Amino acid sequence: MSKIDLEIRQEPRDRLFFDQYQYRMQFRLRFAWCMRSLDHGDLDRRLTNYHGRYRAGADALYPADRETHANLHNMCDLLRALPASCKIMIQYDQVFLYTNELGTLAYMSRVYYIDRIMTGEAVAVYPRNTVMLQNPVHQYRTFLKSQWWDLDTSARVKKFLLGRQDLFRIPKSFREKLERPGRLATRDHHFVDHDDPDLLLMLSLVCPGIINKTLPIQAK
């Protein structure tokens, strides 16, 4: 099976997936979260707990449930049989595979009971550790650390950033979070764009430890 048969979408990046894998595959399988350990006994326990909590009992299974359970057990066997070099991640009903073997994607794409299959190929065309944007306005992007801040620190951060929106570009979702009352929880995907590096010193004085990393911004 060729890349064309698999409809692999090229993804321009600054590195391979996880700095190691050329290909990725994502697909949906209901109750995939129950097989995170890829252990059949653990899978059965999680399914039993789920049905015992949300159904009349663990034995109250519809025919479709039994088929789903059989598919999950089969998928456990398939994933365990993949080469050790293949990275497997499971989030909710989504399974993610990362590999350097095109044959692994072809093999898994033939599984009849999975859907919403997406495949991608990392194409390293951008400089590393650089944010690439169309028509960038600022020179730097600073990412914040994931942490809950106390009320006093939260108030200082909010006042500092919201009071300097002429100097920082704050994404809408993060700005809305800053505008809410109460404690602030920053996440590692939160960022601000800016020009003057001295602003980071000021932010660090307002809230020591809030900065995760700063990357240069370049035009695509």
Side-chain angles (χ1 to χ4, degrees), residues 4-18:
I4 297 177
D5 295 328
L6 282 171
E7 297 183 356
I8 295 180
R9 180 172 63 91
Q10 291 194 333
E11 301 182 28
R13 301 167 55 88
D14 69 342
R15 67 193 69 196
L16 299 177
F17 300 117
F18 294 99

Side-chain angles (χ1 to χ4, degrees), residues 137-138 157-172 174-176 178-179 192-194 199:
V137 176
H138 297 284
V157 173
K158 293 175 183 179
K159 181 178 179 180
F160 179 83
L161 293 176
L162 293 176
R164 293 169 174 78
Q165 295 188 62
D166 56 328
L167 301 176
F168 290 104
R169 185 184 79 81
I170 306 174
K172 180 181 177 182
F174 184 39
R175 186 178 68 249
E176 291 174 346
L178 292 171
E179 293 170 345
V192 291
D193 291 346
H194 57 94
L199 291 170

Side-chain angles (χ1 to χ4, degrees), residues 11-16 19 123-130 132:
E11 301 182 28
R13 301 167 55 88
D14 69 342
R15 67 193 69 196
L16 299 177
D19 217 9
V123 182
V125 296
Y126 298 139
R128 292 173 69 93
N129 300 315
T130 303
M132 306 299 297

